[in-house]
Amino acid sequence: MPQGDKTKYTAKQKRKAEHIEQQYQNEGLSAEQAQARAWATVNKQSGGGDKAGGSGRKTSCSAKATARSDSAKCGAKSREGHDRMSKASLESQTKESLLKQARTQDIKGRSSMSKAELIVALQHHAKG
């Protein structure tokens, strides 16, 4: 497409450029300057002329859903065999996360505990 050729633009892009150009002319810019700015705006917003594939969506919704599902399965598989209440696992969590776990397990005195005390309490609760 030679520079300045507008044949690859959609009707919507052309209407948008005309509207923007008119606004620039109303502000006092020359017709040439207004047209250049209008097409620059359209290019910035839509990435240029009409793209192959229609809507411009690169990944279909079903492909994204499949990717999310595969990612979740991969994450679950990587956690298999790991004790979520192990000391190493608990130490890698934030205090806020540990407090949330302690709240779900109804551990008494959790709000005044340090991170180390929360880890011990959660381990003790898991064993007993």
Side-chain angles (χ1 to χ4, degrees):
M1 181 167 79
Q3 189 172 4
D5 182 17
K6 307 295 188 237
T7 58
K8 293 284 187 179
Y9 287 87
T10 64
K12 182 178 179 180
Q13 289 171 319
K14 290 176 183 176
R15 284 192 310 272
K16 185 183 266 190
E18 289 172 13
H19 180 72
I20 294 169
E21 182 180 348
Q22 189 62 46
Q23 287 177 325
Y24 278 127
Q25 286 179 351
N26 290 344
E27 291 177 9
L29 275 121
S30 69
E32 185 178 307
Q33 186 73 12
Q35 184 181 29
R37 286 189 183 184
W39 282 107
T41 303
V42 169
N43 286 335
K44 183 166 186 156
Q45 291 175 348
S46 64
D50 191 20
K51 304 289 186 230
S55 68
R57 187 175 293 155
K58 293 179 181 165
T59 307
S60 70
C61 291
S62 62
K64 287 181 183 179
T66 302
R68 280 193 301 271
S69 175
D70 291 346
S71 178
K73 288 176 186 174
C74 183
K77 192 172 185 175
S78 70
R79 288 188 299 270
E80 283 179 9
H82 295 288
D83 182 15
R84 296 187 123 191
M85 288 297 171
S86 70
K87 187 171 182 179
S89 175
L90 291 172
E91 284 178 347
S92 68
Q93 297 181 38
T94 63
K95 183 177 179 185
E96 290 76 23
S97 175
L98 295 170
L99 277 169
K100 191 174 183 180
Q101 278 186 295
R103 189 177 308 118
T104 60
Q105 295 179 18
D106 198 31
I107 295 175
K108 305 293 181 206
R110 63 185 174 268
S111 61
S112 62
M113 290 182 184
S114 67
K115 182 175 177 176
E117 291 170 329
L118 283 167
I119 291 170
V120 170
L122 286 166
Q123 286 179 316
H124 180 70
H125 190 270
K127 290 178 185 174

